[in-house]
Amino acid sequence: MSVTAPSNATSTATITLDATGQSTKLPLLTGTLGPAVADIRKLPAELGIFTYDPAYGGTAACDSKITYIDGDEGVLLHRGYPIDQLAERATFPEVAYLLLNGELPNQAEHAAFTTELNNHTMLHEQLRHFYNGFNRNAHPMAVICGVVGALSAFYHDSLDINDRGHRELSAMRLIAKMPTIAAWTYKYTHGFPFTYPRNDLNYAENFLHMMFAMPSAPYQVSPVLSRAMDRILILHADHEQNASTSTVRLAGSTGANPFACIAAGIASLWGPAHGGANEAVLKMLGTIGSKDHIADFIAKVKDRSSGVKLMGFGHRVYKNFDPRAKIMQATCHEVLGELGIKHDPLLELAVELERIAIEDEYFVSRKLYPNVDFYSGIILKAMGIPTSMFTVLFAVARTAGWISQWKEMIEEPGQRIGRPRQIYTGAGPRDLVSMAERA
Ligand code: SDX
């Protein structure tokens, strides 16, 4: 396939092989915001070499219009809108619409979108029985991984990725059904009866109602908690090409159906280095126990042989405060105040831990600051959500981002299957000897 310099190449970078003097000019591509990107696609053909970037720290795998992060400045934009404005003044369905369609909805579009979401909040009744196959003490992430992957066994009328209607229907189904799947997972793993979705409630209210309503008594959703939940969902909705989004894109590049791709994203999010960090932060705070143990814990973190990390700190892209962490901390104080929790030992411990860490040379020199996961668990715990459900909540929110990124990739002209290369460091060619002759 001949690679032509894309129309937005503004300048070039020359790469020369010292051994042979061969050289080629790489187009430098520029986006709306952010650094220039060297287009290396012709390197194998022209110089017979690949590039090497094992954790993709310096590699742009795609171009995208959805989210922009400036890690040095601590900036996060969704379709150009700053995350703090969206968190303060939009709702999660509005943000989901924005991620999917590129613009915020007007009133008519918002009404149609929320009505369409409401039409898809229910699960096929057979899926209720699917839960019975899981151990009651299964980790909720194991359950949603299975249930979301199983959706492709039920919704055959939205599997054709080449059909725009199918793509849009699967996107709506996933965004609408994730709260039901998550709430039923919580209920199942606690032996409680399922609560069905209600169309008279908004997205966040419906989720909390399915989580906590019981048939034995009426359950009134707290407006404070539903607003906090809506904001938490917004803060987790999308985040450029993180590990789980890249997983969804790579799975999608093979033509796999959208439900399978989102299940792959859920599996990837589960890791403690990624979406599993919110659960790990609560465990870490529990291990530290009290403020007077912080110094010992920090010493352990600095001792690399301990393998202990300060969970909820650090980020591949943010080398400044994660803007979401600041909003999350403010929401923490709001929710605890509204709940009449005068002092929350976990929050006080987290605030003190942050204060010490951000003044400590070890963290400052490595540009390690709190990320989105550092405070989220404290709010969720105060809202009555068990630690094992924290990453499930992250998955509910990130489904809007994952499916928007998936849709953008599928609709990209000339989209191809992702297939990275490697440096081979194994044995050279050798002949097989029979078992009898082997030492
Ligand atoms: C999310 O990518 C995204 O956008 C993800 C996310 C999203 O919305 O999708 O933002 C969500 O996953 C947030 C991150 C949640 N994970 C955690 O909080 C787990 C703790 N953090 C680390 O595991 C780590 O910071 C990562 C995984 C987040 C980032 O890993 P990097 O970029 O590979 O970090 P690095 O290894 O380059 O770190 C540089 C240095 C190293 O020390 P040196 O080898 O230079 O001596 O900082 C150290 C690291 O050892 N370091 C930490 C640390 N994070 C990095 N040391 C102690 N505690 C930490 N948390």
Side-chain angles (χ1 to χ4, degrees), residues 55 69 235-245 269 271-278 280-281 301-302 304 308-319 322 324 362-363 366-369 371-374 394 398 402:
I69 300 172
L235 293 174
H236 287 85
D238 191 59
H239 211 239
E240 200 213 64
Q241 304 312 318
N242 57 83
S244 53
T245 298
L269 184 75
H274 190 14
N278 50 22
V281 167
V301 170
K302 292 178 181 177
R304 301 297 302 276
V308 173
K309 290 218 184 257
L310 179 52
M311 301 311 279
F313 257 67
H315 199 276
R316 173 62 52 78
V317 178
Y318 290 122
K319 301 308 171 190
D322 179 336
R324 301 168 297 174
Y362 181 91
F363 300 97
R366 291 168 173 81
K367 298 186 179 179
L368 303 177
Y369 294 94
N371 59 50
V372 68
D373 294 304
F374 190 65
F394 196 144
R398 189 53 58 90
W402 284 332

Side-chain angles (χ1 to χ4, degrees), residues 79-91:
R79 303 282 191 179
Y81 294 100
I83 188 65
D84 55 324
Q85 292 185 30
L86 292 169
E88 287 304 311
R89 295 160 52 191
T91 63

Side-chain angles (χ1 to χ4, degrees), residues 348-429:
E348 287 169 15
L349 183 56
V351 169
E352 179 63 4
L353 181 55
E354 176 192 338
R355 185 190 67 76
I356 293 171
I358 60 175
E359 290 169 0
D360 185 304
E361 183 46 29
Y362 181 91
F363 300 97
V364 173
S365 63
R366 291 168 173 81
K367 298 186 179 179
L368 303 177
Y369 294 94
N371 59 50
V372 68
D373 294 304
F374 190 65
Y375 287 105
S376 56
I378 295 166
I379 308 177
L380 296 173
K381 185 173 186 302
M383 295 169 80
I385 293 171
T387 308
S388 62
M389 282 291 292
F390 290 178
T391 311
V392 170
L393 258 173
F394 196 144
V396 169
R398 189 53 58 90
T399 294
W402 284 332
I403 202 66
S404 301
Q405 298 267 353
W406 169 82
K407 193 165 164 286
E408 181 180 65
M409 176 200 65
I410 294 292
E411 293 171 358
E412 178 81 24
Q415 179 268 327
R416 303 165 69 206
I417 187 170
R419 203 309 188 179
R421 300 305 302 272
Q422 62 170 23
I423 295 182
Y424 176 67
T425 56

Side-chain angles (χ1 to χ4, degrees), residues 158-161 166-167 170 174 256-263 403 406:
S158 58
L159 296 180
D160 179 357
I161 63 164
H166 280 223
R167 292 197 298 270
S170 59
L174 280 156
N257 74 70
F259 303 108
C261 296
I262 300 304
I403 202 66
W406 169 82

Side-chain angles (χ1 to χ4, degrees), residues 276-298:
N278 50 22
E279 183 177 347
V281 167
L282 261 286
K283 288 190 181 132
M284 173 186 74
L285 294 174
T287 306
I288 295 170
S290 68
K291 290 180 189 176
D292 43 22
H293 295 153
I294 289 178
D296 288 348
F297 180 78
I298 294 280

